[in-house]
Amino acid sequence: MDRTESLLTTPASAPDAATVPPSGPPDAATVPPARSASVHPGADDAPPRRDPRWVRPALAVLLLGAGLLYLWGLGASGWANSFYSAAVQAGAESWKAFFYGSSDAANSITVDKTPASLWLMALSVRIFGLNSWAILVPQALLGVASVGVLFATVRRWYGPTAGLIAGTVLALTPVATLMFRFNNPDALLVLLLVLGAYATVRAVETASTRWIVLVGVLVGFGFLTKMLQAFLVVPVFAGVYLLAAPTGFWRRIRQLLLAGLGLVVAAGWWVATVELVPASARPYIGGSQQNSILELTLGYNGLGRITGDEEGSVGGGARMGGGGGPFSGRTGWLRMFDTEVGGQISWLLPAALILLVAGLVLAGRAARTDRRRAGLLLWGGWLLVTGLIFSFMSGIFHAYYTVALAPAVGALVGIGTVLLWQERRTAVTAPATAVSARWRGPFATVTLAVTLAVTAWWSWRLLGRSPEFHPWLRTPVLVAGLAVAVLIVLARRLPRRLVPVALVLGASAALAGPAAYAAQTAGTAHTGSIPSAGPNVQGGFGPGRGGPGGRMDGGMEFPGGGFPGGNRDGGTGRNGQPPGFPGGTANGGTGQFPGFPGGTANGGTRQFPGFPGGTGQDGGTGQDGGRTGGGQGRMAGGMGGLLDSREPSAALKALLNADADDYTWVAAAVGSNNASGYQLATGRPVMAIGGFNGSDPSPTLAQFQAYVAEGKIHYFVGGGGFRANGGSSASQEIAAWVTETFPAQTVDGVTVYDLSNAGQG
């Protein structure tokens, strides 16, 4: 056996003998794959094996490389998603805001998620001060930890080579690079779910109650990170344990019930606290219409994401490939491969699916407790359940959600590659009488070759969607992949010295595309609420954008140059006719947004009625209300600050900071992103009226008037907000009252109302 072959057939190290009950089943992972006609052998008497000496240095290189990829130039993204950065700032100043995940330290309203991911970043800011690195470095470290835990999980049953392949694929997945350099909750969610998979593997090995309960606890904390999305893996983890744990059926049932209890306790303590605390003693629950965390969990951030019934949201998708809403795209079987999502996650998705099917075919009628089949079901179930829900959910869906698929894709590629490489030797080693086993080698060889060929072809297709991005790369990837696929079939006829060269060339062909996208992502600043990995693609996202698809006013892009069905005129990139926004035309810079009557943009000026002062200049400068909107990650006009924060000028910042100690909130603004920019710039609480979309009834007009009468709010800053799919009109009522009651002044293009100076507006 040559060195390359030994790398791919290195068996997993067995667990310590003390952890295996004497009456338990044998440890299949300790069996050298070549000693049996099946890739899923039973036990033998081989002693536990230690990893070869090259494994630790290889793992160190992988983790250091991932750290470099996720940390390099991290500060360029500034506040990244200012919606969460403002909440981190608030949590670093107020323990009450820390606990609830409030958007401001005065605790007017929370973010529209559970707060666990904010806790880590807020603790970092308390230690290191408020800056971009203090916010984003914890996210990068979560990414490195996810790569390491995935390696450890896959290695236990499939060996170090499979673990290293899995970790490498995860590290180089473009959307993983994006989210491990960004401050959305997804980074912590991924780590917790991978830890849950590791605990499931440990539980299955010895039918351990402790480990399976830990699975429930980890998923419970996943709920505290991103609510019901964490539960997508629950049926998979539970099903694999119920199938493969080496103990009696009813004991498995009792253990799973205990795991469910652990999940409920880990997720429920915070929910119960929030629900039991009187509403007057806590901030309003952002994203809900009734000030209820349960409503948020089951509605806007729960079943509403699947059905599209999300009151107060900005629109969902459409069924079976129809045109979706502006922030969702199209639903259907191929959603994970489409223009918007494909370059984020799908580079090795076809390979993962092919290898999953091949591995299960080779498993055949293995014993119930067969670990290698259990592992395929674990990662395959994770991929299929989560992927299908993402594909058909009709509510708000963003391409970066697919980072949740990356660990499963990496694991299946690593597992499948190693298992099939081992099986290709079966035709030689199996006895001549073992007719049923001799098909396995040719099957594995052909499957490996087809997998590489399909991967190279799909990379060629994905690279073709961004023709200006390293155009020289497409053809070499395709040619190398197809050539090595042929060599895999002919590998036994090649000189041994050529086999390592072919394998390295094949791995390069498979990983070159996602690696190039990942590197481009790491080298690009990303800001706003809807980031995207990779370069500009035709009809889809570009790098660092605050919103989906074709570019709008130098910053936000929409498929086809506008919202679905829209168009671009004269190459200006302004939106055409967005569905749901009838009459929203854009010709030579003029546009109207129905729902905002009179909201025109003539000569670069756009007004959002009901949101006083929401005017500014579009066109070349991309300014709206004094905020520069051009460049990456910006939406000029920002839909009134819906998708990205405003950056106040020095004069506006000085105005807001004047007499700041005399007020609870130095200002109020419609929409959380609109408010977050002012809050981060001043370091003072700014009230986010209406929450993220400006559609939550917080505060009501009466409450706002009371705050003003009590001298708690100094200024009202114009602009911001976006109302769709129902929701409260409180923010519009407040804006109209402010316009009628208080005098306006303009500071560097931004309209500001002094609420301490009542008069005719």
Side-chain angles (χ1 to χ4, degrees):
M1 181 183 296
D2 59 45
R3 179 173 177 80
T4 303
E5 193 148 316
S6 69
L7 294 180
L8 288 172
T9 58
T10 302
S13 300
D16 294 337
T19 66
V20 182
S23 59
D27 186 352
T30 65
V31 181
R35 293 185 56 180
S36 170
S38 172
V39 79
H40 308 279
D44 72 3
D45 298 325
R49 295 173 179 243
R50 296 185 179 276
D51 288 337
R53 284 184 291 182
W54 57 264
V55 172
R56 287 190 179 181
L59 176 60
V61 169
L62 172 60
L63 296 180
L64 288 173
L68 181 65
L69 181 64
Y70 300 155
L71 288 167
W72 185 266
L74 195 59
S77 292
W79 301 124
N81 189 339
S82 61
F83 173 63
Y84 292 118
S85 290
V88 169
Q89 178 210 36
E93 296 179 0
S94 162
W95 285 112
K96 182 177 180 180
F98 177 92
F99 179 80
Y100 289 108
S102 299
S103 291
D104 64 87
N107 292 287
S108 62
I109 192 170
T110 71
V111 298
D112 58 1
K113 301 287 189 301
T114 38
S117 67
L118 301 176
W119 293 342
L120 294 178
M121 292 182 281
L123 290 174
S124 175
V125 169
R126 280 181 177 266
I127 296 171
F128 300 106
L130 180 65
N131 59 78
S132 178
W133 285 87
I135 292 173
L136 297 179
V137 166
Q139 304 294 95
L141 296 180
L142 291 173
V144 176
S146 298
V147 172
V149 175
L150 182 62
F151 162 82
T153 307
V154 173
R155 168 197 163 277
R156 284 194 72 83
W157 288 356
Y158 303 94
T161 303
L164 289 169
I165 295 173
T168 301
V169 171
L170 172 59
L172 295 179
T173 300
V175 71
T177 301
L178 172 71
M179 299 316 295
F180 293 143
R181 296 173 56 90
F182 208 69
N183 59 333
N184 279 25
D186 303 76
L188 179 58
L189 177 66
V190 168
L191 176 59
L192 288 170
L193 296 186
V194 176
L195 284 169
Y198 178 82
T200 302
V201 165
R202 296 299 300 269
V204 169
E205 287 177 355
T206 60
S208 168
T209 300
R210 178 185 62 182
W211 281 106
I212 196 61
V213 170
L214 179 59
V215 174
V217 171
L218 290 166
V219 174
F221 275 98
F223 172 87
L224 293 183
T225 301
K226 206 177 179 188
M227 308 190 86
L228 291 185
Q229 184 181 334
F231 290 176
L232 297 182
V233 298
V234 168
V236 178
F237 289 174
V240 168
Y241 186 81
L242 186 62
L243 171 68
T247 189
F249 176 76
W250 289 112
R251 182 167 183 261
R252 281 175 272 154
I253 293 293
R254 290 193 298 271
Q255 289 173 318
L256 288 174
L257 291 175
L258 288 174
L261 179 61
L263 185 155
V264 170
V265 171
W269 68 271
W270 186 86
V271 173
T273 301
V274 173
E275 285 292 303
L276 292 174
V277 171
S280 60
R282 60 166 173 78
Y284 187 93
I285 303 303
S288 73
Q289 296 296 307
Q290 303 297 327
N291 196 12
S292 168
I293 187 63
L294 292 178
E295 177 203 340
L296 178 64
T297 300
L298 298 176
Y300 180 81
N301 273 338
L303 298 179
R305 294 293 173 113
I306 297 176
T307 64
D309 183 15
E310 302 168 274
E311 186 177 7
S313 77
V314 292
R319 300 180 184 278
M320 295 304 296
F327 306 107
S328 299
R330 300 171 182 270
T331 63
W333 291 101
L334 299 180
R335 191 184 215 176
M336 297 299 101
F337 302 92
D338 68 14
T339 303
E340 178 184 342
V341 180
Q344 312 295 300
I345 187 64
S346 74
W347 298 87
L348 290 163
L349 184 53
L353 294 172
I354 294 171
L355 293 171
L356 169 63
V357 172
L360 293 175
V361 168
L362 291 172
R365 298 181 179 180
R368 177 182 67 81
T369 56
D370 182 79
R371 292 182 184 177
R372 296 187 179 183
R373 180 180 61 189
L376 288 167
L377 293 174
L378 174 69
W379 297 108
W382 176 333
L383 178 64
L384 292 175
V385 171
T386 306
L388 287 173
I389 289 177
F390 284 171
S391 295
F392 289 96
M393 59 190 287
S394 296
I396 291 176
F397 169 80
H398 302 309
Y400 68 79
Y401 292 177
T402 59
V403 68
L405 303 177
V409 171
L412 289 170
V413 170
I415 292 167
T417 299
V418 168
L419 290 185
L420 266 65
W421 186 263
Q422 294 168 354
E423 277 289 0
R424 69 183 246 291
R425 303 179 62 247
T426 302
V428 174
T429 59
T433 56
V435 177
S436 62
R438 296 186 66 84
W439 64 270
R440 305 170 70 89
F443 173 80
T445 299
V446 171
T447 302
L448 278 174
V450 169
T451 301
L452 180 57
V454 169
T455 300
W457 168 79
W458 184 239
S459 293
W460 180 79
R461 286 291 305 271
L462 290 174
L463 289 169
R465 293 177 178 176
S466 50
E468 297 180 0
F469 176 71
H470 299 318
W472 57 268
L473 186 59
R474 283 187 78 201
T475 300
V477 163
L478 180 63
V479 172
L482 295 179
V484 175
V486 173
L487 293 178
I488 288 174
V489 177
L490 303 175
R492 299 194 175 282
R493 301 180 183 180
L494 295 176
R496 286 191 174 183
R497 288 178 293 181
L498 291 182
V499 174
V501 176
L503 292 179
V504 169
L505 185 61
S508 299
L511 295 175
Y517 262 52
Q520 193 279 341
T521 301
T524 302
H526 292 83
T527 62
S529 296
I530 314 177
S532 179
N536 290 318
V537 295
Q538 294 177 338
F541 280 157
R545 304 303 180 208
R551 182 171 300 176
M552 175 180 178
D553 293 335
M556 183 172 179
E557 298 192 348
F558 297 92
F563 285 87
N567 58 73
R568 289 194 283 188
D569 296 312
T572 61
R574 293 178 175 80
N575 67 303
Q577 298 179 348
F581 299 90
T585 62
N587 297 289
T590 302
Q592 295 179 335
F593 289 83
F596 300 94
T600 63
N602 296 293
T605 302
R606 176 178 297 149
Q607 296 178 338
F608 292 94
F611 301 99
T615 64
Q617 297 177 346
D618 284 15
T621 62
Q623 295 179 343
D624 181 9
R627 178 183 68 83
T628 298
Q632 294 180 347
R634 304 293 186 198
M635 175 183 173
M639 282 195 176
L642 171 66
L643 298 176
D644 204 356
S645 64
R646 297 174 181 269
E647 299 173 0
S649 66
L652 180 56
K653 180 178 175 181
L655 178 69
L656 296 179
N657 275 323
D659 301 320
D661 292 338
D662 297 335
Y663 298 89
T664 303
W665 294 277
V666 297
V670 175
S672 294
N673 272 315
N674 192 20
S676 67
Y678 302 122
Q679 178 172 305
L680 290 165
T682 62
R684 304 281 186 165
V686 174
M687 178 183 288
I689 298 173
F692 184 86
N693 300 321
S695 59
D696 299 340
S698 172
T700 63
L701 175 59
Q703 289 171 330
F704 188 82
Q705 290 172 333
Y707 289 142
V708 173
E710 294 167 6
K712 292 185 175 181
I713 309 173
H714 195 177
Y715 293 103
F716 181 93
V717 184
F722 188 92
R723 190 162 171 247
N725 281 6
S728 171
S729 61
S731 61
Q732 291 178 311
E733 295 169 2
I734 291 170
W737 175 72
V738 168
T739 303
E740 296 169 357
T741 309
F742 298 93
Q745 60 180 308
T746 301
V747 181
D748 291 335
V750 178
T751 304
V752 181
Y753 297 79
D754 186 347
L755 304 184
S756 66
N757 183 18
Q760 182 62 40

